[in-house]
Short mmCIF file of all heavy atoms in Angstrom, two decimals:
data_model
loop_
_atom_site.label_atom_id
_atom_site.label_comp_id
_atom_site.label_asym_id
_atom_site.label_seq_id
_atom_site.Cartn_x
_atom_site.Cartn_y
_atom_site.Cartn_z
N GLU A 1 9.61 0.18 -20.72
CA GLU A 1 10.71 0.11 -19.76
C GLU A 1 10.17 0.38 -18.38
O GLU A 1 9.32 1.23 -18.13
CB GLU A 1 11.78 1.13 -20.10
CG GLU A 1 13.03 1.03 -19.21
CD GLU A 1 14.11 1.97 -19.59
OE1 GLU A 1 13.96 2.71 -20.61
OE2 GLU A 1 15.15 2.00 -18.90
N LEU A 2 10.67 -0.41 -17.42
CA LEU A 2 10.33 -0.25 -15.99
C LEU A 2 11.60 -0.02 -15.21
O LEU A 2 12.56 -0.78 -15.35
CB LEU A 2 9.58 -1.47 -15.47
CG LEU A 2 9.17 -1.42 -13.96
CD1 LEU A 2 7.83 -2.13 -13.78
CD2 LEU A 2 10.25 -2.06 -13.06
N ARG A 3 11.63 1.00 -14.40
CA ARG A 3 12.76 1.29 -13.54
C ARG A 3 12.31 1.32 -12.08
O ARG A 3 11.31 1.97 -11.74
CB ARG A 3 13.41 2.65 -13.91
CG ARG A 3 14.03 2.69 -15.28
CD ARG A 3 14.53 4.08 -15.64
NE ARG A 3 13.45 5.03 -15.81
CZ ARG A 3 12.76 5.16 -16.94
NH1 ARG A 3 13.00 4.38 -18.00
NH2 ARG A 3 11.79 6.06 -17.04
N VAL A 4 13.04 0.62 -11.24
CA VAL A 4 12.72 0.59 -9.79
C VAL A 4 13.40 1.80 -9.13
O VAL A 4 14.61 1.99 -9.21
CB VAL A 4 13.18 -0.71 -9.13
CG1 VAL A 4 12.90 -0.65 -7.62
CG2 VAL A 4 12.53 -1.90 -9.77
N ILE A 5 12.58 2.63 -8.50
CA ILE A 5 13.09 3.81 -7.78
C ILE A 5 13.50 3.39 -6.36
O ILE A 5 14.62 3.68 -5.91
CB ILE A 5 12.05 4.93 -7.71
CG1 ILE A 5 11.70 5.40 -9.13
CG2 ILE A 5 12.55 6.11 -6.87
CD1 ILE A 5 10.54 6.35 -9.20
N THR A 6 12.60 2.76 -5.66
CA THR A 6 12.87 2.19 -4.32
C THR A 6 12.25 0.83 -4.24
O THR A 6 11.01 0.71 -4.36
CB THR A 6 12.33 3.11 -3.21
OG1 THR A 6 12.81 4.44 -3.40
CG2 THR A 6 12.77 2.62 -1.83
N ARG A 7 13.06 -0.22 -3.98
CA ARG A 7 12.54 -1.57 -3.94
C ARG A 7 12.01 -1.91 -2.54
O ARG A 7 12.69 -1.68 -1.56
CB ARG A 7 13.62 -2.55 -4.31
CG ARG A 7 13.13 -3.99 -4.58
CD ARG A 7 14.29 -4.87 -5.03
NE ARG A 7 14.89 -4.38 -6.26
CZ ARG A 7 14.41 -4.70 -7.47
NH1 ARG A 7 13.30 -5.45 -7.60
NH2 ARG A 7 14.97 -4.23 -8.56
N ALA A 8 10.75 -2.39 -2.46
CA ALA A 8 10.20 -2.83 -1.21
C ALA A 8 10.98 -4.04 -0.70
O ALA A 8 11.32 -4.94 -1.49
CB ALA A 8 8.72 -3.17 -1.35
N CYS A 9 11.24 -4.08 0.59
CA CYS A 9 12.00 -5.20 1.20
C CYS A 9 11.09 -6.37 1.54
O CYS A 9 11.58 -7.49 1.70
CB CYS A 9 12.70 -4.71 2.47
SG CYS A 9 13.82 -3.37 2.21
N ALA A 10 9.82 -6.11 1.72
CA ALA A 10 8.85 -7.16 2.08
C ALA A 10 7.51 -6.80 1.55
O ALA A 10 7.20 -5.63 1.33
CB ALA A 10 8.81 -7.34 3.61
N ALA A 11 6.66 -7.84 1.32
CA ALA A 11 5.31 -7.59 0.86
C ALA A 11 4.55 -6.86 1.98
O ALA A 11 4.80 -7.09 3.17
CB ALA A 11 4.67 -8.90 0.50
N PRO A 12 3.54 -6.06 1.66
CA PRO A 12 2.76 -5.39 2.69
C PRO A 12 1.98 -6.40 3.53
O PRO A 12 1.62 -7.47 3.06
CB PRO A 12 1.81 -4.47 1.88
CG PRO A 12 1.76 -5.07 0.54
CD PRO A 12 3.08 -5.70 0.28
N PRO A 13 1.75 -6.07 4.81
CA PRO A 13 1.04 -7.02 5.69
C PRO A 13 -0.42 -7.24 5.32
O PRO A 13 -1.04 -8.23 5.77
CB PRO A 13 1.14 -6.35 7.06
CG PRO A 13 1.31 -4.88 6.76
CD PRO A 13 2.11 -4.84 5.49
N VAL A 14 -0.97 -6.36 4.53
CA VAL A 14 -2.35 -6.47 4.06
C VAL A 14 -2.32 -6.25 2.56
O VAL A 14 -1.64 -5.33 2.07
CB VAL A 14 -3.25 -5.40 4.70
CG1 VAL A 14 -4.65 -5.51 4.19
CG2 VAL A 14 -3.28 -5.57 6.25
N GLU A 15 -3.05 -7.09 1.81
CA GLU A 15 -3.08 -6.95 0.36
C GLU A 15 -3.79 -5.62 0.03
O GLU A 15 -5.00 -5.52 0.23
CB GLU A 15 -3.72 -8.15 -0.31
CG GLU A 15 -3.58 -8.12 -1.80
CD GLU A 15 -3.98 -9.43 -2.44
OE1 GLU A 15 -4.24 -10.42 -1.72
OE2 GLU A 15 -4.07 -9.47 -3.70
N MET A 16 -3.09 -4.71 -0.55
CA MET A 16 -3.62 -3.36 -0.72
C MET A 16 -4.83 -3.31 -1.64
O MET A 16 -5.74 -2.48 -1.40
CB MET A 16 -2.53 -2.45 -1.29
CG MET A 16 -1.30 -2.37 -0.41
SD MET A 16 -1.63 -1.64 1.21
CE MET A 16 -1.89 0.06 0.76
N ALA A 17 -4.89 -4.16 -2.63
CA ALA A 17 -6.00 -4.12 -3.57
C ALA A 17 -7.29 -4.69 -3.00
O ALA A 17 -8.34 -4.59 -3.62
CB ALA A 17 -5.63 -4.90 -4.85
N LYS A 18 -7.21 -5.29 -1.80
CA LYS A 18 -8.41 -5.93 -1.24
C LYS A 18 -8.77 -5.39 0.16
O LYS A 18 -9.48 -6.03 0.90
CB LYS A 18 -8.16 -7.44 -1.12
CG LYS A 18 -7.97 -8.11 -2.49
CD LYS A 18 -7.83 -9.61 -2.33
CE LYS A 18 -7.65 -10.27 -3.72
NZ LYS A 18 -7.48 -11.73 -3.63
N ILE A 19 -8.31 -4.18 0.43
CA ILE A 19 -8.62 -3.59 1.75
C ILE A 19 -10.11 -3.30 1.83
O ILE A 19 -10.73 -2.72 0.94
CB ILE A 19 -7.81 -2.32 1.97
CG1 ILE A 19 -6.36 -2.67 2.31
CG2 ILE A 19 -8.42 -1.45 3.09
CD1 ILE A 19 -5.47 -1.49 2.52
N ASP A 20 -10.73 -3.69 2.94
CA ASP A 20 -12.15 -3.45 3.17
C ASP A 20 -12.31 -2.87 4.56
O ASP A 20 -11.96 -3.49 5.55
CB ASP A 20 -12.91 -4.77 3.04
CG ASP A 20 -14.42 -4.59 3.18
OD1 ASP A 20 -14.85 -3.49 3.54
OD2 ASP A 20 -15.17 -5.56 2.94
N HIS A 21 -12.82 -1.66 4.66
CA HIS A 21 -12.96 -1.00 5.96
C HIS A 21 -14.03 -1.62 6.85
O HIS A 21 -14.12 -1.29 8.02
CB HIS A 21 -13.29 0.48 5.75
CG HIS A 21 -12.10 1.29 5.33
ND1 HIS A 21 -12.10 2.65 5.36
CD2 HIS A 21 -10.89 0.92 4.93
CE1 HIS A 21 -10.93 3.10 4.95
NE2 HIS A 21 -10.18 2.08 4.67
N LEU A 22 -14.83 -2.51 6.29
CA LEU A 22 -15.92 -3.06 7.09
C LEU A 22 -15.46 -4.29 7.90
O LEU A 22 -16.21 -4.78 8.69
CB LEU A 22 -17.07 -3.43 6.19
CG LEU A 22 -17.66 -2.24 5.38
CD1 LEU A 22 -18.82 -2.73 4.54
CD2 LEU A 22 -18.11 -1.15 6.28
N THR A 23 -14.27 -4.79 7.64
CA THR A 23 -13.78 -5.98 8.34
C THR A 23 -12.36 -5.79 8.80
O THR A 23 -11.61 -4.97 8.26
CB THR A 23 -13.84 -7.23 7.44
OG1 THR A 23 -13.04 -7.00 6.27
CG2 THR A 23 -15.26 -7.55 7.00
N ASN A 24 -11.99 -6.54 9.86
CA ASN A 24 -10.60 -6.51 10.35
C ASN A 24 -10.13 -5.10 10.67
O ASN A 24 -9.01 -4.71 10.28
CB ASN A 24 -9.66 -7.18 9.35
CG ASN A 24 -10.02 -8.61 9.05
OD1 ASN A 24 -10.34 -9.36 9.97
ND2 ASN A 24 -9.99 -8.99 7.79
N ALA A 25 -10.95 -4.33 11.37
CA ALA A 25 -10.55 -2.96 11.66
C ALA A 25 -9.28 -2.90 12.47
O ALA A 25 -8.40 -2.03 12.20
CB ALA A 25 -11.70 -2.30 12.44
N ASP A 26 -9.09 -3.77 13.44
CA ASP A 26 -7.89 -3.73 14.26
C ASP A 26 -6.64 -3.98 13.46
O ASP A 26 -5.58 -3.33 13.64
CB ASP A 26 -7.98 -4.73 15.42
CG ASP A 26 -8.96 -4.30 16.48
OD1 ASP A 26 -9.24 -3.09 16.58
OD2 ASP A 26 -9.47 -5.15 17.23
N THR A 27 -6.72 -4.92 12.49
CA THR A 27 -5.55 -5.22 11.65
C THR A 27 -5.24 -4.01 10.78
O THR A 27 -4.08 -3.61 10.63
CB THR A 27 -5.82 -6.43 10.75
OG1 THR A 27 -6.07 -7.57 11.60
CG2 THR A 27 -4.69 -6.72 9.85
N LEU A 28 -6.29 -3.41 10.16
CA LEU A 28 -6.05 -2.27 9.29
C LEU A 28 -5.45 -1.09 10.06
O LEU A 28 -4.58 -0.39 9.53
CB LEU A 28 -7.35 -1.84 8.64
CG LEU A 28 -7.97 -2.84 7.66
CD1 LEU A 28 -9.33 -2.36 7.17
CD2 LEU A 28 -7.05 -3.07 6.46
N LEU A 29 -5.88 -0.91 11.31
CA LEU A 29 -5.36 0.21 12.11
C LEU A 29 -3.98 -0.10 12.65
O LEU A 29 -3.15 0.81 12.75
CB LEU A 29 -6.32 0.53 13.21
CG LEU A 29 -7.68 1.12 12.80
CD1 LEU A 29 -8.62 1.20 13.96
CD2 LEU A 29 -7.50 2.50 12.14
N ALA A 30 -3.69 -1.36 12.95
CA ALA A 30 -2.37 -1.71 13.45
C ALA A 30 -1.30 -1.46 12.39
O ALA A 30 -0.16 -1.10 12.70
CB ALA A 30 -2.35 -3.16 13.89
N TYR A 31 -1.66 -1.65 11.12
CA TYR A 31 -0.72 -1.45 10.01
C TYR A 31 -1.09 -0.15 9.24
O TYR A 31 -0.87 -0.08 8.02
CB TYR A 31 -0.70 -2.63 9.08
CG TYR A 31 -0.24 -3.90 9.74
CD1 TYR A 31 -1.09 -4.92 10.09
CD2 TYR A 31 1.14 -4.09 10.02
CE1 TYR A 31 -0.65 -6.08 10.70
CE2 TYR A 31 1.60 -5.23 10.63
CZ TYR A 31 0.71 -6.22 10.97
OH TYR A 31 1.18 -7.38 11.56
N ARG A 32 -1.58 0.85 9.93
CA ARG A 32 -2.07 2.03 9.28
C ARG A 32 -1.00 2.76 8.50
O ARG A 32 -1.31 3.41 7.49
CB ARG A 32 -2.67 2.95 10.34
CG ARG A 32 -3.41 4.16 9.84
CD ARG A 32 -4.69 3.79 9.15
NE ARG A 32 -5.54 4.95 8.91
CZ ARG A 32 -6.54 4.99 8.05
NH1 ARG A 32 -6.81 3.92 7.32
NH2 ARG A 32 -7.25 6.07 7.90
N HIS A 33 0.24 2.61 8.88
CA HIS A 33 1.33 3.29 8.14
C HIS A 33 1.36 2.83 6.69
O HIS A 33 1.86 3.57 5.82
CB HIS A 33 2.68 3.05 8.82
CG HIS A 33 2.98 1.62 9.07
ND1 HIS A 33 2.38 0.89 10.08
CD2 HIS A 33 3.85 0.78 8.46
CE1 HIS A 33 2.85 -0.34 10.06
NE2 HIS A 33 3.74 -0.44 9.09
N VAL A 34 0.89 1.61 6.41
CA VAL A 34 0.83 1.12 5.04
C VAL A 34 -0.58 1.15 4.49
O VAL A 34 -0.81 1.59 3.35
CB VAL A 34 1.39 -0.33 4.97
CG1 VAL A 34 1.22 -0.90 3.57
CG2 VAL A 34 2.86 -0.38 5.39
N THR A 35 -1.57 0.74 5.28
CA THR A 35 -2.93 0.63 4.75
C THR A 35 -3.53 1.99 4.38
O THR A 35 -4.47 2.06 3.58
CB THR A 35 -3.85 -0.10 5.76
OG1 THR A 35 -3.92 0.64 7.01
CG2 THR A 35 -3.37 -1.49 6.02
N VAL A 36 -3.01 3.08 4.97
CA VAL A 36 -3.48 4.42 4.65
C VAL A 36 -3.19 4.78 3.20
O VAL A 36 -3.77 5.70 2.64
CB VAL A 36 -2.85 5.46 5.60
CG1 VAL A 36 -1.43 5.75 5.26
CG2 VAL A 36 -3.68 6.76 5.60
N ARG A 37 -2.32 3.98 2.53
CA ARG A 37 -1.99 4.23 1.12
C ARG A 37 -3.10 3.74 0.17
O ARG A 37 -3.03 4.05 -1.01
CB ARG A 37 -0.69 3.49 0.74
CG ARG A 37 0.52 3.92 1.50
CD ARG A 37 1.71 3.11 1.01
NE ARG A 37 2.96 3.52 1.65
CZ ARG A 37 4.16 3.03 1.29
NH1 ARG A 37 4.25 2.17 0.31
NH2 ARG A 37 5.25 3.45 1.95
N SER A 38 -4.04 2.99 0.63
CA SER A 38 -5.06 2.40 -0.26
C SER A 38 -5.84 3.49 -0.99
O SER A 38 -6.02 4.60 -0.44
CB SER A 38 -6.01 1.51 0.52
OG SER A 38 -6.89 2.30 1.30
N PRO A 39 -6.32 3.23 -2.20
CA PRO A 39 -7.13 4.21 -2.91
C PRO A 39 -8.33 4.69 -2.11
O PRO A 39 -8.71 5.84 -2.18
CB PRO A 39 -7.55 3.47 -4.18
CG PRO A 39 -6.46 2.47 -4.41
CD PRO A 39 -6.05 2.04 -3.03
#
């Protein structure tokens, strides 16, 4: 069983599973409120 606690309204601006700190630093920092969630 899967239950949604809070449904996201939009996909994240950066694909979280493919974040790479070595590239696109400005993009990662501009969306830091979301990208900081990465493992």
Side-chain angles (χ1 to χ4, degrees):
E1 186 176 358
L2 180 146
R3 294 176 293 277
V4 177
I5 299 172
T6 307
R7 191 177 299 275
C9 301
V14 178
E15 189 169 351
M16 301 297 289
K18 297 183 179 180
I19 285 178
D20 184 351
H21 284 193
L22 301 180
T23 59
N24 301 317
D26 288 337
T27 299
L28 293 174
L29 292 171
Y31 296 106
R32 188 67 167 162
H33 52 285
V34 175
T35 60
V36 75
R37 297 180 178 187
S38 73

